[in-house]
Amino acid sequence: MHRQVKSTVVAICGSLALGGLMAPDASATGDGPRITRVVVNGGKNIVVGPTAVTYFTASVTASDPAGVKETWLDLWHGSGSYDDHDGAIARAGVLKCTASSSTTRTCTSSFQVKANARAITNEVTNAFAGTWHVSVGAFSGNRVQSWDDSYSTVKVQRASQLTVNATPEPVTKGKTITVTGKLSRANWDTRKYAGYTGQLVKLQFRKKGSTTYSTIKTITTSSTGTLKTTVKASVDGYYRYSFAGTSTTPATNASGDFVDVR
């Protein structure tokens, strides 16, 4: 929902509370700044591992005839309105603003998020993986505020890992190669990696001297995330597993494992 507000109702804005901004003075007049551009993490999904802190930046550009004093942004998770959110990622660093003209300004802020079962601000649990809302706002030069509780959305995902091992090496042409591996993703509740169950993963092959992988077959991960299949040896080349990703978990490819066929 897009909102424009003066000082008489500014206290209800959740974004103000997270961003730490001061309310505009009572003499504010006008329709409020217009948000023209929002970029979160360079337009990429935010991927969070099991232990390390993930850092990213976000910027908001706004315009107003009276100029723009500053902008702000925060992320929130929930199935309803902002007022019912169950998770939040708020600014964690200094706000840096640059004016491109007398009427337009872009403000960039830094953020950090980590896995933690306590699930307070800037911490996430498994239940929070997936779509998050982007809340943005701005103050004009004459201190009129406008904001949008859900300007856009962004994915916050559980980091993934994928391994592969093709054996035997070397192998006689026409003999069977067994290809094993495992698909894992960050468990934000336990702060460890755990197998990703029941996911479709492609077995791919790249002939020696080529730069392109081709899919041989698609198999499903076990209850522990493991993978195992067989192929016939034909020529020298690299085998890898490839996972396309889900809304909660990013795509990933295993490093190719070379097999010498004799």
Side-chain angles (χ1 to χ4, degrees), residues 59-112:
S59 64
V60 180
T61 303
S63 296
D64 190 89
V68 176
K69 182 176 178 61
E70 65 181 279
T71 68
W72 72 90
L73 177 149
D74 59 63
L75 308 181
W76 61 275
H77 180 271
S79 58
S81 67
Y82 180 93
D83 295 334
D84 298 323
H85 71 267
D86 54 13
I89 301 174
R91 190 178 81 208
V94 177
L95 188 69
K96 298 180 180 180
C97 297
T98 302
S100 57
S101 70
S102 61
T103 61
T104 302
R105 176 168 289 196
T106 299
C107 293
T108 301
S109 48
S110 59
F111 296 78
Q112 62 184 47

Side-chain angles (χ1 to χ4, degrees), residues 21-34:
L21 300 177
M22 299 298 292
D25 58 40
S27 63
T29 60
D31 295 327
R34 181 171 63 93

